[in-house]
Amino acid sequence: MRPYVIIVSEVSVDGKLTLYRGASSKELMSLMDMEAYRYLHEIRAKVDGIMVGCETVRTDNPSLTVRYVEGKNPVRIIPCSTANVPLDANIFSKDAPTIIVSTLRAPKEKIEKIRELGAEVWIVGEDLVDFERLLPMLYERGIKSLMVEGGSSINWEFVRRGYVDEIRLIHLPVIVGGENVPTLVGGEGFKSLKNLLPLRLRAHFKRGHHLITEWEVVR
């Protein structure tokens, strides 16, 4: 039992998430028009939870709330093995519940400070966050649908484990280039045709000036 998982991202034509490694994705997102933003927030308003990695929190400082459309804010879930998230990050606003998922490596002092801010801290794993344990826990928490919105590393964790049901992309009409610039999915890669994640194109349409493609995983 796990949540229904949708990876959502804006990508350049060559599949890049940022202008260079370590850059904020907000720079590329500034190329999105209002209709593309509404599309993104419509998805947020329909899911129970939204997840980004702690590197995305440190670099982008997102709020992960619903704006531009009517709807409820999803529960914010941040996997972070050492709980290394800034204590003044926007994810600690009172607009929505926040769960920091960490491990036994996290300093107890940092965990207590995070809890003092009103967020939950779950210890799920020894050295790295154990996603196999985490997803059923989220499901039991009432998070039946999960939007994964950020980070090539965390996208790879979901893709390689077969925990993805849909991928929805907002295509930005630009080329970024660069050998080491993060793409939609990072990690070590599958390296074999037989291991690739098969997708089926479910829909394609324009929102504002942007092409949107929606893919479903072939089981």
Side-chain angles (χ1 to χ4, degrees), residues 8-205:
V8 183
S9 184
E10 77 289 341
V11 293
S12 65
V13 171
D14 53 337
K16 307 298 187 182
L17 299 184
T18 63
L19 292 176
Y20 53 89
R21 182 169 295 280
S24 170
S25 63
K26 288 184 176 180
E27 293 182 88
L28 276 184
M29 288 183 72
S30 69
L31 301 177
M32 290 166 49
D33 61 24
M34 187 53 65
E35 281 303 307
Y37 273 109
R38 286 196 183 100
Y39 171 79
L40 181 71
H41 285 255
E42 284 168 6
I43 303 172
R44 286 186 182 182
K46 292 177 181 177
V47 297
D48 300 315
I50 183 169
M51 179 183 289
V52 301
C54 53
E55 184 61 35
T56 297
V57 173
R58 289 192 293 266
T59 304
D60 293 357
N61 194 21
S63 298
L64 305 180
T65 54
V66 174
R67 304 180 298 281
Y68 311 112
V69 299
E70 294 292 325
K72 63 178 178 62
N73 290 323
V75 177
R76 300 175 288 206
I77 302 130
I78 316 298
C80 193
S81 297
T82 59
N84 185 22
V85 289
L87 296 176
D88 60 349
N90 290 332
I91 56 163
F92 294 120
S93 72
K94 304 304 181 185
D95 302 307
T98 297
I99 301 171
I100 304 296
V101 184
S102 197
T103 70
L104 296 173
R105 293 170 54 203
K108 292 181 180 179
E109 300 80 9
K110 185 64 177 285
I111 290 174
E112 287 307 313
K113 288 180 180 178
I114 290 172
R115 286 178 172 151
E116 287 172 4
L117 293 173
E120 297 178 48
V121 179
W122 294 4
I123 303 301
V124 189
E126 294 186 7
D127 295 316
L128 299 173
V129 172
D130 187 339
F131 284 88
E132 189 172 347
R133 286 175 52 198
L134 173 61
L135 265 63
M137 291 172 64
L138 291 173
Y139 192 88
E140 287 297 317
R141 174 70 154 67
I143 297 171
K144 303 298 193 289
S145 55
L146 177 65
M147 177 181 182
V148 178
E149 195 194 321
S152 60
S153 296
I154 202 163
N155 288 347
W156 169 245
E157 285 298 321
F158 278 85
V159 167
R160 77 182 183 92
R161 297 171 186 271
Y163 293 160
V164 181
D165 299 288
E166 291 184 35
I167 297 176
R168 303 186 188 185
L169 302 177
I170 301 168
H171 297 270
L172 305 175
V174 294
I175 297 287
V176 174
E179 291 183 5
N180 298 314
V181 180
T183 57
L184 178 66
V185 180
E188 63 187 20
F190 288 119
K191 299 185 176 70
S192 169
L193 281 177
K194 67 179 182 179
N195 295 330
L196 301 182
L197 183 70
L199 303 174
R200 179 187 299 115
L201 181 63
R202 186 182 65 193
H204 59 96
F205 50 89

